[in-house]
C-alpha cells in the first residue's frame, strides 16, 4: 500500500504584526488533525510553524489532492482563523481567499506540497518550511540537492543516483510547465530556474519515475490580484537509498542565498536556516527563514522529527545571513534590496505610482 505525505500551509494570523503564529492557533490545528486521525482520514500528523505560517504535515493512504485530507486542513485553518479574529491577531485569515470549500484546497490561498510513494524498507522524508519568501526560493537548493555534484557526492559516487533526475518546472506567469532531464539538459534547466519569480521547480523524479521532491508553487498575489503577503513555500524531499543523503539535502542551505520576500514581500534578502524555536522573522520582518524537519516514514507513521538546522554547524550561515542583512538593508528603498519594478506590480507600489502618472510630460 502506498503512503501519501501532504504538507499544507497557511498564514492565518500572527503576533505581533507578521512575526509568529499564535500557539493557540497551532493547538486548534492540532485538535482538528487529531479528530481526523481518530476518524481514519489521517495516519499521522505533525503541526509546525515558520514565522507566521502554520505547516500541517500529514500522512495518509488516500493519494494526492484527496478531498477529505484537503478539507481537514481547510477546517483546521478556518477554525483557527475564528480564534485569530477574536484575538485580533495580525492578518487573521490572511491566506484564506475563500470561505467555501469545493473539493480541493488548491487555488484557495494555502500552499500545498504532496507526494505518494511505496515505502522503502527505510524511508527518510524531509520537510522544509519557509517564511518571508516565495516558491522560487527553493529553486537553488533543490537544484543543488538533485543536480549539483559539488553538493551531492552521491551523483558521482553512488550508482543509484548516477543517472540523475527529472525536474518539472512551472511557468507561474503563463501557466505552462516543462520537464527537463539532468544532467543532460542542465544548462536549459538553469536558464529557466534562475528566474525565480517566474520559473519554479514543482517536482523532481528519479529517471524511473519515482517521486523525489515536491514543492508548493501557489502564488497568492497572482491568485488574489492584490498584495496579501508572500507565498511562503514548503517542500517535501525524500532522502537516502537512491536519493541524496540527509546531509546532502541540508547542505545547500549552508549558503544563505538571496531570495525575494522579507519586508512587505518587496525586498531581496538572505535565506537564514533556523531551528523551529528560532523561526521568528523579526528584523525588518525577516530576514527570510527556512526550517527543516527530518522524519522517517514507517507504515504511514511520522517518526521524528529531527530539527535539521538545530546544529551549530549552521551558526556561520546564520551569522553570514545577519551580516548580509545589515549590508543590503543600507540600500533602503533602492534596488537590488527593493525588488525590481516587474515584481513590484504585485505589491502596494502601483497605488503610489498611479498618483504620479498625471505629473509626467513628454520629453520631446
Ligand atoms: P554512519 O557510519 O554514521 O552510519 O554514516 C554513514 C554515511 O554514509 C554518512 O553519510
Ligand atoms: P507574510 O507573507 O509572512 O505574511 O509577510 C507579509 C509581509 O508583508 C511582511 O512584511
Ligand atoms: Mg503574515
Ligand atoms: Mg508568512
Ligand atoms: Mg505569506
Amino acid at each position: 500500500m502506498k503512503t501519501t505525505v501532504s504538507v499544507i500551509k497557511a498564514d492565518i494570523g500572527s503576533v505581533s504584526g507578521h512575526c509568529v503564529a499564535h500557539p493557540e492557533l497551532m493547538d486548534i490545528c492540532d485538535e482538528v488533525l487529531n479528530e481526523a486521525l481518530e476518524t481514519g482520514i489521517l495516519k499521522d500528523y505533525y503541526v509546525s510553524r515558520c514565522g507566521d505560517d502554520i505547516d500541517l504535515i500529514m500522512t495518509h493512504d488516500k493519494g494526492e489532492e484527496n478531498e477529505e485530507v484537503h478539507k481537514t486542513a481547510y477546517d483546521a485553518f478556518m477554525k483557527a482563523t475564528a480564534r485569530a479574529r477574536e484575538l485580533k491577531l495580525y492578518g487573521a485569515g490572511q491566506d484564506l481567499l475563500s470561505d467555501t470549500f469545493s473539493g480541493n484546497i488548491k487555488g484557495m490561498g494555502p500552499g500545498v506540497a504532496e507526494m505518494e510513494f511505496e515505502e522503502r524498507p527505510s524511508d527518510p522524508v524531509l520537510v522544509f518550511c519557509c517564511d518571508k519568501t516565495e516558491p522560487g526560493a527553493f529553486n537553488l537548493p533543490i537544484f543543488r540537492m538533485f543536480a549539483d555534484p559539488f553538493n551531492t557526492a552521491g551523483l558521482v559516487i553512488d550508482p543509484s543516483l548516477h543517472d540523475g533526475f527529472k525536474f518539472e518546472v512551472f511557468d507561474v506567469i503563463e501557466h505552462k510547465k516543462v520537464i527537463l532531464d539532468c544532467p543532460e539538459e542542465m544548462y536549459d534547466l538553469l536558464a529557466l530556474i534562475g528566474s525565480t519569480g517566474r520559473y519554479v521547480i514543482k517536482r523532481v523524479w528519479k529517471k524511473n519515475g519515482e517521486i523525489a521532491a515536491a514543492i508548493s508553487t501557489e502564488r497568492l498575489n497572482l491568485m488574489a490580484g492584490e498584495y496579501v503577503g508572500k507565498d511562503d513555500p514548503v517542500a517535501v524531499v525524500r532522502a537516502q537509498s537512491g536519493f541524496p543523503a540527509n546531509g546532502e539535502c541540508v547542505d545547500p542551505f549552508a549558503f544563505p542565498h538571496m531570495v525575494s520576500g522579507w519586508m512587505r514581500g518587496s525586498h531581496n534578502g538572505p535565506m537564514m536556516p533556523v531551528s523551529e524555536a528560532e523561526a521568528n522573522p523579526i528584523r525588518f520582518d525577516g530576514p527570510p527563514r527556512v526550517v527543516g524537519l527530518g522524519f522517517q516514514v514507517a507504515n504511514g507513521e511520522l517518526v521524528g522529527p529531527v530539527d535539521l538546522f538545530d546544529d551549530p554547524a549552521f551558526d556561520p550561515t546564520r551569522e553570514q545571513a545577519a551580516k548580509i542583512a545589515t549590508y543590503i538593508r543600507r540600500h533602503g528603498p533602492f534596488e537590488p534590496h527593493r525588488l525590481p519594478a516587474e515584481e513590484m506590480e504585485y505589491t502596494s507600489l502601483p497605488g503610489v505610482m498611479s498618483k504620479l502618472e498625471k505629473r509626467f510630460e513628454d520629453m520631446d
Side-chain angles (χ1 to χ4, degrees):
M1 196 175 46
K2 288 186 171 180
T3 295
T4 308
V5 176
S6 299
V7 183
I8 304 185
K9 53 75 51 181
D11 173 355
I12 44 167
S14 45
V15 56
S16 51
H18 287 285
C19 287
V20 168
H22 193 281
E24 271 195 51
L25 308 189
M26 297 182 60
D27 291 345
I28 292 167
C29 289
D30 190 89
E31 277 165 30
V32 173
L33 267 53
N34 197 46
E35 278 166 33
L37 197 69
E38 279 163 12
T39 57
I41 297 171
L42 299 182
K43 283 197 159 179
D44 203 357
Y45 69 88
Y46 183 80
V47 178
S48 187
R49 69 153 188 98
C50 185
D52 58 6
D53 289 85
I54 295 182
D55 304 289
L56 309 178
I57 302 165
M58 302 172 284
T59 50
H60 52 94
D61 56 12
K62 299 185 164 43
E64 292 177 31
E65 301 201 22
N66 177 268
E67 180 165 353
E68 286 178 294
V69 174
H70 281 218
K71 176 110 187 355
T72 298
Y74 176 79
D75 288 347
F77 291 142
M78 284 299 279
K79 206 168 167 195
T81 293
R83 183 63 184 140
R85 292 198 207 285
E86 286 169 4
L87 294 170
K88 293 175 75 175
L89 295 184
Y90 200 74
Q94 179 181 282
D95 290 356
L96 293 178
L97 302 180
S98 169
D99 53 17
T100 42
F101 182 80
S102 53
N104 191 318
I105 206 165
K106 283 188 177 169
M108 298 184 73
V112 182
E114 293 184 292
M115 58 164 71
E116 185 186 36
F117 53 85
E118 197 76 56
E119 284 184 22
R120 295 168 291 166
S122 174
D123 216 306
V125 172
L126 281 47
V127 178
F128 295 98
C129 308
C130 295
D131 189 30
K132 303 299 180 273
T133 187
E134 61 177 14
F138 277 120
N139 283 3
L140 186 150
I142 293 284
F143 171 82
R144 297 201 65 201
M145 285 175 215
F146 293 99
D148 180 0
F150 281 77
N151 178 82
T152 297
L155 292 168
V156 178
I157 68 173
D158 180 348
S160 72
L161 270 78
H162 203 79
D163 281 350
F165 291 88
K166 292 193 287 187
F167 290 73
E168 181 181 37
V169 178
F170 279 9
D171 175 344
V172 295
I173 308 288
E174 291 286 328
H175 297 282
K176 290 180 176 173
K177 57 185 184 178
V178 63
I179 295 174
L180 294 169
D181 283 338
C182 263
E184 301 89 327
E185 299 175 295
M186 181 189 287
Y187 298 161
D188 297 309
L189 176 66
L190 285 169
L192 296 178
I193 64 171
S195 302
T196 47
R198 175 159 186 176
Y199 298 103
V200 181
I201 300 172
K202 177 64 190 175
R203 286 186 192 85
V204 181
W205 300 274
K206 286 178 72 69
K207 292 281 172 66
N208 68 9
E210 210 179 331
I211 188 72
I215 297 102
S216 69
T217 50
E218 287 72 18
R219 286 211 57 187
L220 194 58
N221 301 328
L222 301 183
M223 281 188 259
E226 59 175 347
Y227 181 67
V228 281
K230 269 289 182 211
D231 325 288
D232 315 303
V234 288
V236 185
V237 172
R238 298 175 79 195
Q240 306 287 154
S241 312
F243 300 104
N246 189 80
E248 291 167 337
C249 294
V250 295
D251 208 43
F253 296 99
F255 167 55
H257 67 297
M258 280 286 174
V259 299
S260 58
W262 208 348
M263 174 59 73
R264 298 172 185 271
S266 306
H267 295 81
N268 286 309
M271 179 75 105
M272 184 184 268
V274 288
S275 65
E276 282 188 286
E278 288 185 329
N280 309 316
I282 295 169
R283 181 179 175 190
F284 198 57
D285 288 2
R289 305 287 151 120
V290 57
V291 164
L293 301 167
F295 299 93
Q296 291 289 142
V297 177
N299 308 311
E301 198 187 322
L302 288 164
V303 179
V306 167
D307 195 349
L308 294 169
F309 299 127
D310 186 12
D311 174 354
F314 285 101
D315 285 347
T317 310
R318 291 186 270 269
E319 215 166 283
Q320 195 183 6
K323 282 184 181 150
I324 293 166
T326 298
Y327 166 78
I328 200 157
R329 277 296 300 127
R330 295 281 299 272
H331 294 79
F334 285 78
E335 296 176 16
H337 184 27
R338 202 214 67 193
L339 299 187
E342 317 86 78
E343 286 288 315
M344 296 301 287
E345 274 173 43
Y346 311 108
T347 70
S348 47
L349 185 67
V352 177
M353 298 296 266
S354 68
K355 273 199 305 187
L356 286 174
E357 234 162 64
K358 47 186 173 301
R359 303 270 305 274
F360 276 89
E361 314 172 6
D362 287 337
M363 285 206 300
D364 51 61

